[in-house]
């Protein structure tokens, strides 16, 4: 007759971690906010046109005029970083949003409806799991050409099953909870319970988990650009910038490669911290 | 000789919370000491402190002497030695307490092999002996089985055997039977008592069940909020409790002992046996006829959860359903409320057919107005995201055309009826206690004004004192509204507090039915008798009964 | 910091490196890519040819100074304008020891015109009507029209002779890493470790004792990444390489690991005009665009200043056997297009095409592609034309050269066009009306007549006078926009020497000349 | 008997996955805008008959389903078709490059296993303490370093500046191969170490909170024994499951590392073949990756009853 309380270990873990982690959480939020603002207002902030070629000022070191120096075409690295934030952030954002929506829908259908539909969807997920997201993205590039569109669509599909499986699992465990039976007994319809009550209970957890995908997607999209299969020149993109700047490395021009590389790392770290913190916070709100 | 001597034990968490506050407790060799109290009172903490299992970073003061050794501040080797030779512990949930990925044999022999340095064969022989000692049917086979292949009762025997491998002087039992059925509990308690006697061990027995403590223990300590409230011989504490807390606890504990009035009534009824016809004359509110349900599982034999059950409850009546775990009680309830479809048979509520799972909106609403249900687990039966008042309001507005203001005031009214202040309307379930949640669940069921209310183990998850409050509430509502109630429980004592009639279920069938009091006084079916005999009684009472029986 | 940007590299042309002191056991050479094939019929790229040149030989030999001398053909005759007779060198054996015969030559040459083979060198044979064995050691080729260029092509892959027996035996696997090749060159193919390296072994029975390999073994390693390639050279892991990424040159020079060399090249960097229906249909607009492009800036930014701006489509190096007068006419008597934004802007305004859009297709192949694309866009913007850069895959870029449909909607793209024979006519033959590689379908009857006339002239000096006129016309009309020329680049580590830095390395057994320093 | 049925069912499911994946892989190419013929005949005016010849040579003239059947049956016999690019059997082209990728993946796998498990275990045993927090922060930062960034940094520092490792190539012979693959396998391992480390930590932490661990402790077992026999042993399941999911990802991620280090493995071959519309090679590699995934997960599935006896009974894990 003792009450089922969340295990002590879990509670113990949350206590001290939350406080310390919180400061990093806010720092990360700040970093991401700054990057997002820079991306949105890039035309107003960037000191130069990101594609402005100046062949007489290539590979300059940082100066008052060019805070982060210039690249092999004399383009302002800072301006390219600011504009590059657009594709760097937009791509993963779209993938996370699409895959989350798609995944939640599929997971909801599979988990709630069950039966043969669940089996078919499960098989479909299994097949997609066997194709790593980067592989799907590479295939999509081969099929539909380079740029942001094909990889983003492909990766949305690649990541959706992960979201869907989590959603399905949560929906299943949620569906077996007495509160769902209670709604049924009260006369509420199945779809109403699924969409209005169960889904909102599940979405935050799924959302928080999806946030963690942002980092992976960003790294993978940048990797795709690095392979020359992603965002194409002259569009400023962090991954493509690293790719372009690679040639300069032999000449000892490290800055044009390091600046976007560091930016990628910082954003991924920030997003992961935020995602984990969110999962922690939200996960803590629902009885385990 | 004093085996365990705890004095002024205080335990603080790093965040400053004081979990144990000046506990003093003593156990002599061969003595059984009970530790009772409500959930969270610190029973388990005290027990764990004895073998040096403290929460990370906890600060302690006072002393815990086990045998010749001071446990607090003992070195690692001292602690290992204590655990290997002096004291063993049995935990509440045998399923969680035995590593699911290792065999029973491994569980039993690992300490022998790895701590005592016994050979594998030696350890195996010893383990098999122990399994036989705790009365497991096929010790040799069990050695190679995995925990999931055994039932809860068998696992608890394994756990006991495991605790006995080291021939401890002190056996600590932390609610060893809470997860088990009454009948199984009785068997386990018997095994424990036998082993205690044959080995002359001291025993610290933790339980929230006062009857159990009374039946087994020489002395008891009553704990509340990290303190010892009262202690003394079992008979003294339960017979004449000194503190109000203990008194409340004892009052709240349901008992199957019949009161004088009940005995008198029973005697009267026996003399005029034809009276029963009067109740049957009234049109039944709930009528269940030949209901069957079997679950088909892929690749396994189907389970006949409910086999042709017929029950009926007169308008305003209350029927109790008791039976051990898996006897089909919940399945019956779920069919009645329309969560599950019946394979055969019929359900009628107030004369209307309610057999099928409702499909259309109209059917759903009609069914919902006929029967409502309160679920067992108050922590899971409320939507975690929806405030208490809101969930009641949802139900109200689904079934009536109330505007939001009217709905709101109705919500407050309902909350008031179940004894909750208006402020709780906005509370999230998480912030409510178990008892409060169950009140909200009841209010929510009442909001629809159903003809029949089904309560499936609605109080099983609650502490005795809280359970008593909820049971009183149900009784009140019944008298106020004339509600018809189907009350499911595994606890005969609880059922008889609420219901005048009771049916006993076993493996999907009703084995006995009748007036609750009559059932208790003169059980007909052997299973009912077993059930009754399994309920622990204070040692002095059963002595009295036995002598009474001998006299007869 | 300012210095870095403008800082060019000191460079001078070298015709020949120091003679080796003796033989060497082995040396390693870096290639930017793995050959797709060593089948001469498909060897059409730097990576393929720089290996193949050491293993397989042609009827004629293209020397580092771009002269042609006898190769597997001891001599050739040209009895009438439509007939070429090759006398096969006796006493030559293939790597497997079998002797070279005229039948081998017929089989090898016939493959090029076999549609089932689909050879990349078909254009050299486009006028050929028959290839016949006319003696034990004699092959006669007949062309439908007089074709002076056919014989010149016999110094390249189109003239390679492979053992007929091997061709038959290997079938479709001929020339790949499992089928291999069996030729007569100073090296034989020893091992082809896919994706890694090709090892060549000295042919001890090589017929030309002057060119017997000085190294017992050559290992050509494939390092795609420019950075890795430079690092490998710098660290001495690899002894040398052609085509050095210019960004790395400063580092290489300062590392002291070896020496940079700059030598003869035949390549001219051009912007191909692939759509004459658009604004670029007007020659004045083409001129304007050329004048608006900062070509010296490109050379400085992309090649560290190693290179020269040019206004014509050929380099002097291919004018072998030309008369001095012709060379002067071809290079000095042509129009200059200096960097002049004002004049260019005016031309565009006069043409009435200001504000119109041009599509420039490029691919992420190298920094130079990037620089040129950006510089062209900047030039367009400066004179009121909007240049849209479209980046495609290197493969899609390749199809621009083979598939007319890929060029739809494309106005310009960049190419570095190199000549494989010692005659500028190879270049201008391409620009005739209806030619496959005349990507913009430029058409000028006067030009066509000049080129066709030149093709029929056997005497190189005489021919060069006519070719010079064609060059002047192309310079005036600009069917392609010539940008600049650059030298062949080469790096030699401290262990080796002896090779001549010349683009002839694509057909000449260069590795045989390398020995110990 | 139950076990055999269960394993059979699992394998059937995996084979179905493989079959569906092969459909996906094969028919995806019909979405491609470019005609492979165009590439085959690059640089030449193709006559109609030449196109037909090449078409027939590569079997592109057959009906689509026939092509699929040929492809699948061929592959079952080890014939993966012919590379358009290399004019060679795909099996040869891939076979030559596979050892490099396998070496890379195996070496990274070892690194990932050792470092990931060690960091996860150490962190979990010190949870909440500074060491745990430093490991977590370290892992988070490491995990944010994309492999291409890692590659560039490693090359710049250890190959170019310090000269400890070679800058290119995959070496010959066993030891030289290992030496050459040290840096690439580190770059490849980075992200995966973090994933394994985190799973290990959370799986261990979860098990540490289990009651049976406390029971084992209460019986006087030494802490090391408890950790080994009851915590780690029980934590293996999720770690293996996650590792299984990562295998395919590891092979694909090697594309980037191979590109950066100039290694001739199937990863760089994949990128090159995508770029050149060399479908037979792309299809074979993709299918190989999928097959690797299926095989590894098949093995893990088959092992599962040994790892978690409950799963043999079909009960829910954990
Ligand atoms: N490791 C721990 N860390 C922090 N708090 C703890 C820990 N263990 C127990 N507590 C708290 O100490 C109090 C007493 O817990 P304890 O487990 O002793 O109660 P109990 O009397 O055994 O209750 P139950 O009948 O539910 O088992 C509770 O409030 C519990 O939350
Ligand atoms: N959804 C289901 N699928 C398969 N079997 C089920 C299902 N629900 C219940 N059962 C089985 O039906 C039998 C009756 O279960 P039921 O839940 O009605 O028992 P109960 O009397 O309520 O037990 P408890 O006291 O443990 O709640 C059990 O053997 C149970 O395992
Ligand atoms: Mg407890
Ligand atoms: Mg039940
Ligand atoms: Ni080496």
């Amino acid at each position: 007759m003792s009450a089922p309380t969340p295990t002590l270990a879990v509670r113990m873990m949350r206590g001290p971690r939350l406080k310390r982690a919180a400061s990093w959480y806010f720092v990360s939020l700040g970093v991401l906010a700054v990057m997002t603002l820079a991306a949105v207002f890039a035309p107003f902030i960037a000191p130069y046109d990101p594609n402005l070629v100046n062949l007489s000022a290539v590979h300059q070191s940082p100066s008052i005029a060019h805070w982060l120096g210039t690249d092999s075409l004399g383009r302002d690295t800072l301006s390219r970083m600011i504009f590059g934030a657009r594709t760097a952030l937009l791509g993963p954002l779209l993938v996370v949003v699409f895959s989350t929506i798609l995944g939640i829908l599929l997971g909801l259908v599979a988990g709630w409806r069950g039966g043969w539909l669940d089996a078919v969807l499960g098989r479909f997920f299994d097949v997609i799991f066997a194709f790593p997201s980067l592989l799907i993205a590479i295939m999509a590039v081969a099929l539909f050409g380079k740029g942001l569109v094909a990889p983003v669509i492909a990766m949305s599909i690649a990541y959706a099953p992960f979201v869907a499986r989590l959603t399905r699992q949560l929906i299943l465990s949620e569906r077996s909870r007495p509160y769902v039976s209670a709604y049924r007994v009260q006369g509420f319809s199945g779809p109403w319970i699924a969409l209005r009550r169960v889904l909102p209970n599940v979405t935050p957890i799924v959302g928080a988990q999806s946030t963690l995908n942002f980092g992976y997607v960003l790294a993978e999209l940048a990797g795709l650009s690095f392979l020359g299969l992603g965002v194409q020149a002259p569009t400023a993109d962090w991954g493509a910038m690293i790719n372009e700047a690679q040639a300069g490395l032999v000449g000892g021009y490290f800055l044009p490669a390091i600046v976007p590389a560091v930016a990628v790392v910082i954003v991924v770290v920030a997003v992961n911290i935020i995602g984990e913190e969110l999962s922690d916070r939200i996960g803590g709100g629902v009885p385990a | 000789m004093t085996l365990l001597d705890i004095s002024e034990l205080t335990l603080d968490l790093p965040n400053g919370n004081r979990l144990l506050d000046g506990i003093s407790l003593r156990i002599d060799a061969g003595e059984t000491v009970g530790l009772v109290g409500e959930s969270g009172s610190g029973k388990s903490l005290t027990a764990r402190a004895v073998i040096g299992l403290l929460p990370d970073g906890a600060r302690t003061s006072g002393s815990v002497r086990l045998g010749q050794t001071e446990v607090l501040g003992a070195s690692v080797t001292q602690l290992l030695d204590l655990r290997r030779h002096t004291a063993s512990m049995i935990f509440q949930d045998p399923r969680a307490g035995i590593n699911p990925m290792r065999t029973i044999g491994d569980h039993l022999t690992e300490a022998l092999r790895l701590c005592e340095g016994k050979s594998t064969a030696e350890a195996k022989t010893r383990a098999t002996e122990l399994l036989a000692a705790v009365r497991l049917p096929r010790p040799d086979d069990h050695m190679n089985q995995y925990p999931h292949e055994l039932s809860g009762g068998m696992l608890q025997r394994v756990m006991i055997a495991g605790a006995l491998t080291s021939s401890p002087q002190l056996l600590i039992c932390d609610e060893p039977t809470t997860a088990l059925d009454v009948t199984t509990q009785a068997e386990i308690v018997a095994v424990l008592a036998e082993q205690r006697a044959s080995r002359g061990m001291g025993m610290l027995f933790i339980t929230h069940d006062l009857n159990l403590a009374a039946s087994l223990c020489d002395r008891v300590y009553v704990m509340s909020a990290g303190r010892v409230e009262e202690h003394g011989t079992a008979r003294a504490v339960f017979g004449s409790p000194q503190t109000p807390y203990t008194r409340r606890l004892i009052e709240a504990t349901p008992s199957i002992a019949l009161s004088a009035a009940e005995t008198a009534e029973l005697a009267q009824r026996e003399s005029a046996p034809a009276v029963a016809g009067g109740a049957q004359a009234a049109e039944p509110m709930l009528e269940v006829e030949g209901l069957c349900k079997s679950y088909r599982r892929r690749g396994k034999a189907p389970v006949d959860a409910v086999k042709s059950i017929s029950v009926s409850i007169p308008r305003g009546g209350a029927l109790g359903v008791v039976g051990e775990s898996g006897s089909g009680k919940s399945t019956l309830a779920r069919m009645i409320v329309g969560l599950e479809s019946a394979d055969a048979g019929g359900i009628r509520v107030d004369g209307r057919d309610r057999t099928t799972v409702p499909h259309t909106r109209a059917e759903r609403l009609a069914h919902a107005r006929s029967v409502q249900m309160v679920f067992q687990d108050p922590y899971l039966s409320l939507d975690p995201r929806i405030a208490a008042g809101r969930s009641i309001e949802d139900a109200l507005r689904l079934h009536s055309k109330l505007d939001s203001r009217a709905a709101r005031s109705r919500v407050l009214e309902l909350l008031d009826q179940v004894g909750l202040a208006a402020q709780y309307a906005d509370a999230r379930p998480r912030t409510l206690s178990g008892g409060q949640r169950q009140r909200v669940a009841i209010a929510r069921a009442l909001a629809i004004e159903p003809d029949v209310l089904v309560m499936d183990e609605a109080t099983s998850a609650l502490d005795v004192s809280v359970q008593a409050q909820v049971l009183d509430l149900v009784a009140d509502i019944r008298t106020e509204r004339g509600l018809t109630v189907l009350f499911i429980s595994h606890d005969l004592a609880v059922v008889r507090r609420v219901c005048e009639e009771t049916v006993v279920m076993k493996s999907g069938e009703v084995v006995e039915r009748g007036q609750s009091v009559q059932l208790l006084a003169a059980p007909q079916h052997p299973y009912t008798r077993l059930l009754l005999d399994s309920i622990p009684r204070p040692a002095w009472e059963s002595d009295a009964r036995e002598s009474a029986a001998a006299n007869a | 910091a300012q210095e870095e940007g403008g800082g060019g590299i000191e460079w001078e042309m070298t015709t020949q490196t120091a003679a080796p002191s003796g033989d060497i056991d082995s040396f390693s050479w870096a290639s930017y890519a793995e050959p797709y094939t060593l089948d001469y019929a498909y060897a059409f790229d730097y990576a393929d040819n720089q290996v193949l040149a050491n293993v397989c030989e042609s009827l004629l030999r293209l020397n580092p100074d771009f002269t042609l001398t006898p190769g597997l053909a001891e001599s050739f005759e040209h009895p009438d304008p439509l007939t070429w007779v090759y006398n096969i060198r006796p006493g030559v054996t293939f790597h497997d020891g079998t002797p070279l015969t005229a039948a081998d030559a017929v089989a090898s040459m016939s493959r090029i015109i076999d549609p089932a083979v689909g050879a990349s060198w078909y254009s050299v044979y486009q006028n050929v009507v028959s290839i016949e064995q006319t003696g034990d050691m004699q092959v006669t080729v007949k062309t439908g029209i007089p074709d002076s260029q056919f014989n010149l092509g016999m110094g390249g892959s189109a003239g390679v002779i492979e053992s007929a027996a091997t061709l038959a035996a290997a079938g479709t696997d001929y020339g790949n890493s499992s089928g291999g090749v069996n030729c007569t060159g100073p090296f034989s193919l020893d091992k082809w470790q896919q994706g890694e390296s090709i090892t060549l072994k000295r042919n001890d029975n090589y017929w030309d004792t002057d060119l017997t390999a000085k190294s017992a073994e050559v290992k050509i390693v494939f390092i795609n990444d420019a950075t890795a390639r430079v690092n490998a050279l710098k660290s001495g892991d690899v002894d040398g390489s052609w085509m050095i990424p210019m960004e790395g040159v400063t580092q290489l020079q300062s590392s002291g690991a070896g020496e940079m060399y700059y030598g003869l090249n035949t390549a001219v960097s051009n912007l191909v005009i692939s759509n004459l229906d658009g604004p670029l249909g007007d020659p004045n607009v083409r001129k304007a665009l050329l004048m608006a492009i900062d070509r010296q800036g490109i050379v400085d930014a992309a090649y560290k200043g190693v290179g020269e701006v040019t206004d014509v489509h050929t380099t002097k190096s291919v004018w072998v056997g030309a008369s001095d007068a012709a060379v002067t006419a071809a290079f000095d008597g042509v129009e200059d297009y200096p960097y002049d934004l004002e004049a260019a802007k005016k031309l565009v305004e006069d043409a009435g095409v200001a504000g119109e859009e041009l599509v420039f297709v490029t691919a992420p192949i190298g920094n130079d592609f990037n620089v040129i694309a950006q510089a062209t866009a900047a030039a367009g913007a400066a004179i009121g034309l909007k240049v849209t850069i479209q980046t495609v895959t290197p493969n899609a870029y390749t199809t621009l050269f083979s598939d007319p449909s890929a060029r739809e909607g494309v106005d310009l793209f960049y190419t570095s066009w190199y000549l494989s024979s010692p005659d500028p006519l190879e270049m201008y033959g391409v620009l005739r009306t209806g030619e496959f590689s005349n990507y913009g379908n430029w058409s000028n009857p006067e030009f066509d007549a000049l080129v066709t006339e030149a093709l029929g002239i056997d005497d190189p000096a005489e021919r060069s006078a006519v070719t010079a006129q064609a060059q002047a016309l192309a310079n005036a009309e600009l069917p392609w926009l010539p940008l600049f020329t650059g030298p062949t680049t080469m790096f030699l580590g401290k262990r080796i020497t002896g090779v001549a830095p010349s683009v002839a390395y694509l057909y000449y057994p260069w590795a045989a000349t390398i020995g110990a320093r | 008997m139950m076990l055999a049925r269960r394993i059979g069912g699992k394998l059937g499911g995996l084979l179905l996955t493989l079959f569906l994946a092969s459909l996906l892989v094969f028919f995806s190419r019909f979405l491609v805008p470019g005609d492979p013929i165009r590439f085959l005949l690059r640089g030449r005016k193709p006559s109609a008959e030449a196109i037909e010849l090449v078409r027939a040579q590569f079997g592109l003239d057959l009906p689509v389903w026939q092509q699929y059947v040929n492809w699948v049956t061929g592959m079952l016999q080890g014939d993966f078709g012919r590379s358009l690019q290399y004019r060679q059997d795909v099996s040869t082209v891939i076979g030559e490059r596979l050892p490099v990728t396998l070496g890379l993946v195996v070496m990274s796998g070892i690194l990932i296993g050792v470092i990931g498990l060690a960091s996860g275990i150490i962190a979990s045993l010190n949870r909440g303490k500074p060491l745990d927090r430093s490991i977590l922060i370290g892992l988070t930062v490491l995990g944010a370093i994309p492999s291409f960034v890692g590659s560039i940094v490693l090359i710049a520092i250890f190959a170019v500046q310090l000269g400890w490792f070679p800058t290119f190539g995959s070496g010959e012979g066993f030891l030289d191969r290992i030496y050459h693959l040290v840096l690439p396998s580190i770059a490849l391992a980075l992200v995966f170490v973090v994933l394994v480390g985190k799973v290990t930590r959370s799986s261990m932490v979860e098990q540490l909170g289990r009651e049976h661990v406390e029971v084992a402790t209460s019986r006087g077992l030494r802490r090391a024994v408890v950790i080994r026999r009851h915590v780690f042993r029980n934590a293996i399941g999720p770690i293996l499951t996650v590792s299984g999911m990562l295998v395919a990802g590891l092979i694909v991620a090697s594309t980037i590392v191979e590109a950066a280090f100039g290694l001739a493995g199937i990863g760089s071959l994949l990128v090159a073949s995508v770029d050149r519309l060399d479908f037979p090679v792309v299809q074979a590699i993709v299918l190989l990756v999928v097959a690797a995934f299926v095989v590894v997960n098949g093995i893990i599935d088959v092992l599962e009853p040994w790892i978690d006896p409950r799963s043999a009974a079909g009960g829910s894990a954990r």
Side-chain angles (χ1 to χ4, degrees), chain B residues 48 51 53 80 83-84 91 96-97 99-102 106-108 110 113-115 146 148 162 165, chain D residues 5 127 210-212 214-222 225 228-230 233-234 307-310 313:
Chain B
R48 279 158 203 239
I51 51 171
L53 291 173
L80 287 184
R83 291 171 187 165
R84 287 174 188 180
F91 291 78
N99 190 341
M101 307 203 185
R102 291 187 175 275
D106 188 272
H107 174 78
L108 290 172
E110 78 173 344
R113 284 183 293 120
L114 302 174
C115 304
Y146 284 97
H148 68 264
T165 46
Chain D
R5 262 248 306 275
R127 69 177 179 287
R210 288 284 160 98
E211 200 165 281
H212 67 80
E214 211 161 22
V215 171
T217 310
S218 82
R219 296 179 63 197
L221 294 178
R222 263 172 294 111
V225 175
R228 178 164 55 80
R229 298 196 47 142
H230 294 281
R233 172 66 183 73
N234 290 31
I307 293 160
D308 185 350
R310 285 165 302 175

Side-chain angles (χ1 to χ4, degrees), chain A residues 19 41 53 109 130 135 150 171 173 184 188-189 194 225 230 270 272 279 288:
Chain A
K19 271 179 222 135
F41 297 106
V53 175
V109 170
L135 188 67
I171 293 272
S173 87
R184 282 194 194 280
F188 290 101
S189 71
S225 298
N272 283 352
S279 303

Side-chain angles (χ1 to χ4, degrees), chain B residues 44 92 174-175:
Chain B
S44 297
Q92 168 172 353
D174 189 355
E175 312 206 25

Side-chain angles (χ1 to χ4, degrees), chain B residues 236-257:
Chain B
V237 171
F238 295 133
S240 49
Q242 296 305 303
T243 58
Y245 175 78
T246 318
R247 228 171 286 142
R248 248 191 306 120
L249 216 55
I250 291 169
E251 265 164 34
T253 306
S255 150
I256 54 162

Side-chain angles (χ1 to χ4, degrees), chain B residues 324-331 333-334 376 456-457 488 490:
Chain B
E324 66 183 351
S325 184
S327 56
K329 308 182 297 289
S330 296
T331 309
R334 293 173 65 80
Q376 166 170 5
D456 186 0
E457 312 250 14
I488 295 174
H490 58 262

Side-chain angles (χ1 to χ4, degrees), chain B residues 465-485:
Chain B
S465 49
V466 183
Q467 163 171 296
Q469 293 166 12
V470 173
L471 291 178
D472 287 347
L473 173 67
V474 174
D476 286 352
I477 292 169
R478 270 193 66 204
T479 48
E480 268 170 38
R481 304 180 154 227
L483 196 65
T484 312
V485 174

Side-chain angles (χ1 to χ4, degrees), chain C residues 36 119 194 196 219 395 403, chain D residues 38 44 97 170 275-276:
Chain C
Y36 290 123
Q194 283 228 351
E196 288 279 330
K219 186 171 177 184
N395 176 56
D403 185 353
Chain D
R38 221 198 268 157
R44 227 169 50 92
R97 289 164 169 78
S170 50
D275 216 31
R276 306 200 156 88

Side-chain angles (χ1 to χ4, degrees), chain D residues 76-281:
Chain D
L76 292 177
Q77 296 158 8
D79 173 12
F80 288 67
R82 212 163 155 83
S83 159
L84 307 184
Q85 175 67 53
Y86 293 92
R87 298 170 191 286
Q88 202 163 9
D89 287 344
V90 174
S91 49
T92 317
V93 175
I94 292 181
E96 297 250 2
R97 289 164 169 78
L98 203 53
V100 174
T101 304
L102 282 185
L104 185 60
V105 167
V106 167
M107 276 183 68
S108 299
I110 294 172
L111 279 179
I112 293 165
V114 171
I115 301 177
L117 285 179
S119 60
I121 292 173
I122 293 173
S124 70
L125 296 182
N126 294 282
R127 69 177 179 287
K129 295 189 189 143
L131 183 58
D132 177 29
R133 209 164 293 129
S134 345
I135 290 179
L136 274 180
I137 291 173
L139 286 182
T140 307
V141 173
L142 273 188
I145 301 179
S147 45
F148 58 95
V149 173
S151 304
I152 291 177
V153 172
L154 287 174
I155 293 175
I157 295 176
F158 295 102
V160 178
Q161 293 297 323
L162 300 174
W164 292 352
F165 292 96
T167 47
F168 74 94
S170 50
E172 285 163 53
F174 185 68
L175 286 179
D176 193 38
R177 170 67 52 93
I178 289 182
Y179 174 56
H180 278 252
L181 292 183
V182 168
L183 290 185
S185 56
I186 292 175
L188 183 57
L190 281 181
V191 174
F192 296 88
V193 161
V194 174
L195 292 173
V196 171
K198 286 192 169 174
V199 172
T200 306
R201 181 185 177 279
S202 61
S203 187
M204 289 280 291
V205 163
E206 196 192 325
Q207 291 298 331
L208 278 167
R210 288 284 160 98
E211 200 165 281
H212 67 80
V213 175
E214 211 161 22
V215 171
T217 310
S218 82
R219 296 179 63 197
L221 294 178
R222 263 172 294 111
R223 187 167 154 81
V225 175
V226 174
I227 299 291
R228 178 164 55 80
R229 298 196 47 142
H230 294 281
V231 181
F232 182 65
R233 172 66 183 73
N234 290 31
I236 289 176
I239 301 173
L240 260 187
T241 309
V242 167
S243 308
M245 296 290 290
L246 293 182
V247 164
L250 198 60
I251 300 176
V252 175
S254 71
T255 47
I256 290 177
V257 173
E258 285 172 18
F261 282 89
L263 298 177
I266 58 168
S268 48
L269 180 65
L270 173 66
V271 176
S273 304
V274 162
D275 216 31
R276 306 200 156 88
L277 299 183
D278 195 349
F279 292 115
V281 178

